[in-house]
Amino acid sequence: MIDLRLPAVALLALALTACGGADKPADAASDAPVTIFTGGMIYTGLDEAPTAEAVAVADGVILGVGTRALIEESAGDDAVIVNLEGAAMYPGFTDSHAHFLGIGMRELTLNLEGVRSIEALVAILTETVQDAEQGETVYGRGWIETGWPEARMPTRDDLDPASPDNPVILRRADGHALVANTAALEAAGIDDATADPDGGRIVRDAAGRATGILVDNAMGLVAALIETPGEETKRQAYATASKVYAAYGWTGLHNMSVEPANANMITALSEDGTVDIRVYNSVDEPGLDALAANGPQASNNGRILTRAVKLYMDGALGSRGALLTEPYSDQPETSGLALMRRQDALDIFNRAIAGGVQINTHAIGDEANRLLLDWYAEAFAANPEANDLRWRIEHAQILHTEDIQRFADLSVIASMQPSHAIGDLYFAPDRLGPNRLDGAYAWRSLIDAGVIIAAGSDAPVERGDPLIEFYAAVARRGLDGTQTEDWRPDEAVTRAQALKMFTAWPAYASFQEHTLGTIEPGKRADFTVFAKDIMTIPEAEILSATPVMTVVDGEIIYRAEK
Ligand SMILES: [Zn+2]
């Protein structure tokens, strides 16, 4: 249904392009051909005028939004019409936490995402090892034992028969644990006597024998065996990731834990047209000083922006690396791993504030989140002249309920991944017991407290599908509809809130709300088009809404085949 009561926003003067953040001068737009997107429901993301019939675009910028008659009349006869054919259009969906290189590498290396048992894992491995060269390390990622009939992680004893000679390293989907076979452990010099490194764990069985599972910093012990991708492979990975993501319907992503050199490569690939989608980079900590000295780095087409640093406070819940205030309910001898110390953190924070660098820190456990809020607060208090910092906590999964309001009070953004909740809630009750679930994945409580949530997928940890994420946010159910009281159904969000979590709020969380995040005149023409109206269809149908078209700067970068 088109809301004809919508007050049409007249085509604004073409000079508006000047404030659209465009790289071209305002008068360049006057000759640019006008394209009109119409023929389906259009959601603007604006509370005061949530829907429209047509959007006019020229030179990558939105010129007008309103009724079809008015937009067509104002645009003139030369305008090109893009017919939505009944599909629904939204502001560009942005994945606020993803790993761009990993998304591409997932396509280029052994992908274990769909594996449903240890038996199936071993079968795929056996096949892969047959094609490997002598001595070559077989590397794969994406396995997750949740729901497996064996109900445990794989060990080196599972892998050894499939690969007695080639080292094998298979990373768990969350990226915080891996399983290595005996050949890999031996090549890395790990035996039963090797001590756990700081912030990591070599998992051992009851007899003290290393099982092959390495958690968090212990993964570094075998890192040298994994071939880091060469320049050409990286370029291929980024090109692939851009295509894969555009085909899912994302117009952009916030790229986490980026090697500083890779940020430059992405910029070059955007400028030569290999990478189409927008990328907002959070570089690794060694990039802090350069970023602080040089300020934010943007590509000359405006699509790539680097102005943040990513840090780690703890590990993940699945591998019991998340730092908890009280011990794990299903393993009382551990409370998780702290990966950062207060003094180091404050030193980094002060340098970041001085250089205008945004800090985005991974924190999953309740203790990790509490300490991080303490340390952020300490840094903010020590730099009272600094404002509009927009620092983020990545994941913010398990919170003490008393800490929820502190996000709002400190203006800290929560960067959360709805699919983590629907994946984790199968095992979170075991890890945490019943009482700590109140502040777990507490989207609704955070929003009600006034917190901005920038939502994402954490791909390749999760699939990286905006429809799965949107569904998870509004349904808070497994993909098969599963939900129990432990899942805290009240923490689901409304569809209007979910839309903001993937559009307007990611724009704010990357300092780009003046140019991105809503469909209104003067902003960049970034649109996501799904076959169905996900704001109104029954919940279960959201998963099959299918992307139809993805538009960045008015350019159609993906179009589904009919
Ligand atoms: Zn991540």
Side-chain angles (χ1 to χ4, degrees):
M1 275 296 154
I2 287 167
D3 183 3
L4 294 171
R5 292 162 304 158
L6 170 71
V9 182
L11 275 184
L12 296 191
L14 292 168
L16 257 177
T17 49
C19 64
D23 48 301
K24 303 203 176 66
D27 62 355
S30 51
D31 302 326
V34 174
T35 303
I36 297 173
F37 293 81
T38 190
M41 182 58 112
I42 296 171
Y43 287 94
T44 63
L46 299 168
D47 293 336
E48 60 277 20
T51 59
E53 290 177 9
V55 177
V57 171
D59 203 32
V61 176
I62 298 167
L63 300 180
V65 183
T67 64
R68 181 166 185 165
L70 184 80
I71 294 290
E72 288 190 349
E73 189 191 327
S74 314
D77 296 338
D78 297 340
V80 176
I81 305 282
V82 174
N83 190 343
L84 299 173
E85 297 177 13
M89 185 164 108
Y90 313 86
F93 270 55
T94 296
D95 185 339
S96 303
H97 183 123
H99 302 274
F100 199 31
L101 184 61
I103 293 162
M105 289 303 289
R106 178 168 69 185
E107 305 295 321
L108 304 180
T109 57
L110 179 59
N111 183 355
L112 300 170
E113 265 190 317
V115 170
R116 295 280 173 264
S117 65
I118 290 176
E119 196 187 336
L121 179 93
V122 171
I124 291 177
L125 180 63
T126 306
E127 220 173 279
T128 309
V129 170
Q130 273 160 14
D131 298 333
E133 286 170 42
Q134 200 185 351
E136 184 191 340
T137 299
V138 173
Y139 175 69
R141 70 164 293 159
W143 62 268
I144 181 111
E145 78 285 4
T146 317
W148 284 3
E150 295 92 347
R152 62 172 176 85
M153 293 191 192
T155 66
R156 63 155 136 173
D157 295 328
D158 298 310
L159 311 185
D160 284 349
S163 184
D165 304 318
N166 289 73
V168 175
I169 296 171
L170 307 177
R171 262 180 105 137
R172 194 171 186 270
D174 69 2
H176 287 273
L178 60 78
V179 59
N181 69 345
T182 299
L185 295 177
E186 283 174 358
I190 301 171
D191 59 30
D192 301 343
T194 307
D196 288 352
D198 219 15
R201 197 179 325 123
I202 300 168
V203 176
R204 296 160 218 266
D205 63 18
R209 177 172 174 267
T211 61
I213 294 282
L214 306 177
V215 179
D216 283 313
N217 285 352
M219 297 190 298
L221 299 173
V222 295
L225 297 178
I226 305 171
E227 215 191 328
T228 28
E231 300 289 289
E232 189 44 44
T233 307
K234 275 192 215 168
R235 271 192 280 273
Q236 266 181 37
Y238 285 129
T240 305
S242 177
K243 287 194 180 63
V244 166
Y245 250 39
Y248 271 132
W250 301 111
T251 57
L253 63 89
H254 296 181
N255 187 18
M256 291 292 150
S257 308
V258 186
E259 277 179 43
N262 289 352
N264 298 333
M265 180 184 276
I266 296 165
T267 297
L269 291 172
S270 177
E271 289 174 352
D272 76 13
T274 307
V275 164
D276 289 327
I277 67 169
R278 285 185 201 283
V279 180
Y280 178 72
N281 287 313
S282 264
V283 298
D284 290 330
E285 197 242 314
L288 170 60
D289 289 334
L291 202 52
N294 302 325
Q297 304 290 302
S299 61
N300 59 27
N301 59 15
R303 291 191 191 178
I304 314 297
L305 178 61
T306 305
R307 62 158 300 163
V309 163
K310 167 82 185 294
L311 303 171
Y312 285 86
M313 189 69 195
D314 66 347
L317 186 68
S319 43
R320 298 188 190 81
L323 185 65
L324 302 178
T325 304
E326 302 290 335
Y328 279 84
S329 301
D330 59 355
Q331 204 172 94
E333 63 276 20
T334 181
S335 304
L337 301 166
L339 303 182
M340 203 157 54
R341 295 192 184 89
R342 176 179 164 277
Q343 203 45 58
D344 298 333
L346 288 176
D347 173 57
I348 292 169
F349 294 169
N350 287 324
R351 278 150 59 210
I353 289 174
V357 175
Q358 183 190 38
I359 290 290
N360 303 331
T361 310
H362 167 120
I364 289 189
D366 53 3
E367 185 69 6
N369 277 280
R370 171 165 283 180
L371 288 174
L372 192 56
L373 288 167
D374 289 348
W375 300 348
Y376 275 7
E378 225 178 300
F380 298 166
N383 298 275
E385 72 295 346
N387 55 37
D388 204 23
L389 296 171
R390 307 191 194 184
W391 283 12
R392 303 166 35 160
I393 294 185
E394 302 300 318
H395 310 305
Q397 276 180 13
I398 321 294
L399 303 176
H400 290 287
T401 48
E402 318 84 271
D403 284 341
I404 288 173
Q405 187 59 44
R406 296 178 69 204
F407 279 79
D409 296 345
L410 293 167
S411 300
V412 169
I413 295 165
S415 167
M416 304 179 80
Q417 301 73 39
S419 59
H420 280 343
I422 67 168
D424 290 6
L425 281 167
Y426 290 96
F427 63 79
D430 293 340
R431 298 278 189 283
L432 301 171
N435 299 329
R436 284 183 285 191
L437 294 168
D438 278 343
Y441 317 89
W443 313 315
R444 191 58 174 265
S445 297
L446 283 160
I447 292 173
D448 289 348
V451 179
I452 299 278
I453 298 182
S457 76
D458 205 3
V461 175
E462 302 282 352
R463 181 69 50 83
D465 177 344
L467 293 169
I468 291 178
E469 299 301 333
F470 192 91
Y471 165 83
V474 300
R476 207 173 165 94
R477 292 174 182 276
L479 299 183
D480 58 1
T482 300
Q483 187 184 60
T484 69
E485 263 316 294
D486 283 342
W487 288 47
R488 302 293 192 269
D490 291 350
E491 292 292 345
V493 304
T494 68
R495 302 206 192 190
Q497 289 168 338
L499 188 65
K500 287 194 168 88
M501 285 163 65
F502 290 102
T503 57
W505 290 343
Y508 176 82
S510 61
F511 298 88
Q512 297 177 98
E513 74 277 15
H514 297 299
T515 54
L516 303 176
T518 53
I519 297 180
E520 58 184 310
K523 286 198 177 181
R524 307 302 300 174
D526 286 11
F527 311 131
T528 293
V529 181
F530 292 125
K532 297 182 190 171
D533 181 347
I534 60 172
M535 303 302 281
T536 57
I537 55 175
E539 244 166 47
E541 280 182 42
I542 293 171
L543 293 166
S544 58
T546 68
V548 170
M549 196 189 297
T550 308
V551 181
V552 173
D553 285 334
E555 178 195 337
I556 298 172
I557 63 165
Y558 170 75
R559 196 166 203 165
E561 281 172 36
K562 290 232 171 84

